[in-house]
Amino acid sequence: MKGYTSRDVAKVLGLTVAQVRGFARDGFLTPGRGPRGELLFSFQDLVILRTAKGLVAARIPTRRIRRALRRLRAQLPRGRSLAELRIGAEGDRIVVSDGVTTWSPESGQMQIDFAVSDLASRAAPMARRAAKAARRVEEDLSAEDWYELGLELEVAAPSEARDAYRRALELDAHHADARVNLGRLLHEQGLVEEAERHYRLALREHPEHATAAFNLGIALEDLNRPTDAIEAYRAALGVDPRLADAHYNVARLYEKAGKKAAALRHLSSYKRLTAEP
């Protein structure tokens, strides 16, 4: 369900079509193919290309650009919105900030510093176009197709993304990732109790879904249920002990509850996991 053509990408990023295709050949992007064989890019591809453009403009050597883009691709979250991210770079050192991690360059010479939300605003008309195209052929789309479309729409058209996730669940009520992402968008809309319901349904289907458990913890915090939130975060960590944000949130809740030793233990894990390599 990738929907940005080479011409779309060139227009959004201020590149030539030849440059877009050249970056695609380097292997850092994951373009699909349209019905006529044309390259089609995802929004994640746009973020990587925007970063590459900044590094090229800063005259960073090609070998270091490739290394930096490999790191960036590994850091970008899959299965959740990129809208809150900020990309920073100093040389070939790239930091993806999500509101918890802080981008703090070691010098004043930053080659890149941009908010993904700004990129999303420019891409929004194209994302809505993709949604309209999907509705024209919706009888041919699977639950996974609607889920992938939802991922593409989140940053630029969240209401369209909610509709896509709901359509995915109509076709497959067991699609846990679609349910988790729909829950998160409802949560962001202020419908926290409805979001909690979706997270719990996802966990009923897939008890090992760390993201569902983590998001449930956030919802329970917002519902002023800290004890239940700790339980949810601990469940997430039971599945994925390297979930740094869960350690951070549990540490904060334990600190408020006066459980200093437990708070320090999780804070230590958080610092270890987020330390520079």
Side-chain angles (χ1 to χ4, degrees):
M1 296 306 299
K2 298 173 175 67
Y4 300 98
T5 66
S6 297
R7 194 174 298 278
D8 290 337
V9 174
K11 181 179 179 181
V12 169
L13 298 179
L15 296 169
T16 67
V17 171
Q19 286 174 314
V20 172
R21 291 172 178 163
F23 281 124
R25 286 194 295 270
D26 283 342
F28 299 108
L29 309 175
T30 56
R33 292 281 180 178
R36 293 183 296 278
E38 70 275 22
L39 291 175
L40 294 176
F41 297 88
S42 69
F43 187 80
Q44 178 166 301
D45 290 332
L46 263 67
V47 174
I48 294 173
L49 278 167
R50 170 64 180 83
T51 306
K53 177 188 175 184
L55 294 174
V56 168
R59 301 182 185 278
I60 304 299
T62 301
R63 178 178 57 82
R64 290 172 62 193
I65 290 176
R66 289 174 175 163
R67 182 172 61 187
L69 294 180
R70 276 196 297 272
R71 291 175 181 166
L72 174 60
R73 189 173 179 182
Q75 288 182 70
L76 289 177
R78 179 64 177 162
R80 67 181 180 86
S81 174
L82 303 177
E84 300 304 316
L85 300 182
R86 190 171 195 92
I87 311 295
E90 179 186 13
D92 64 350
R93 176 174 172 263
I94 289 181
V95 174
V96 179
S97 171
D98 60 3
V100 176
T101 306
T102 301
W103 165 232
S104 179
E106 294 166 356
S107 76
Q109 299 180 341
M110 288 195 303
Q111 281 78 34
I112 306 173
D113 182 16
F114 72 93
V116 173
S117 57
D118 294 339
L119 183 58
S121 295
R122 296 200 298 276
M126 298 163 195
R128 294 191 181 98
R129 185 188 65 198
K132 289 180 181 178
R135 283 194 289 271
R136 286 197 296 269
V137 295
E138 62 179 296
E139 66 277 3
D140 298 325
L141 300 183
S142 67
E144 187 65 19
D145 290 333
W146 283 107
Y147 168 70
E148 291 288 342
L149 180 61
L151 286 178
E152 289 303 305
L153 291 170
E154 279 201 24
V155 276
S159 62
E160 303 266 17
R162 288 193 294 272
D163 290 343
Y165 290 138
R166 287 191 178 102
R167 189 72 183 97
L169 290 168
E170 287 173 6
L171 295 172
D172 179 7
H174 306 294
H175 199 304
D177 289 339
R179 195 169 290 285
V180 169
N181 286 5
L182 176 57
R184 176 171 39 74
L185 291 177
L186 292 169
H187 192 164
E188 291 170 1
Q189 194 180 359
L191 302 173
V192 186
E193 291 179 345
E194 190 173 347
E196 179 194 358
R197 182 177 67 83
H198 282 288
Y199 298 146
R200 290 194 184 278
L201 285 170
L203 287 167
R204 184 184 302 170
E205 294 286 342
H206 297 277
E208 300 282 294
H209 202 301
T211 302
F214 176 75
N215 287 4
L216 176 61
I218 296 174
L220 292 168
E221 277 200 73
D222 288 348
L223 292 169
N224 198 28
R225 292 158 58 187
T227 301
D228 292 339
I230 289 173
E231 182 181 345
Y233 289 136
R234 286 174 58 85
L237 290 169
V239 178
D240 183 2
R242 295 186 58 79
L243 199 55
D245 289 351
H247 282 292
Y248 181 88
N249 290 358
V250 168
R252 178 170 42 75
L253 291 175
Y254 275 142
E255 177 73 22
K256 289 180 179 179
K259 298 181 179 180
K260 304 289 186 183
L264 286 172
R265 185 172 68 252
H266 283 284
L267 188 59
S268 175
S269 295
Y270 169 77
K271 289 179 177 178
R272 185 180 69 254
L273 290 167
T274 56
E276 283 290 324

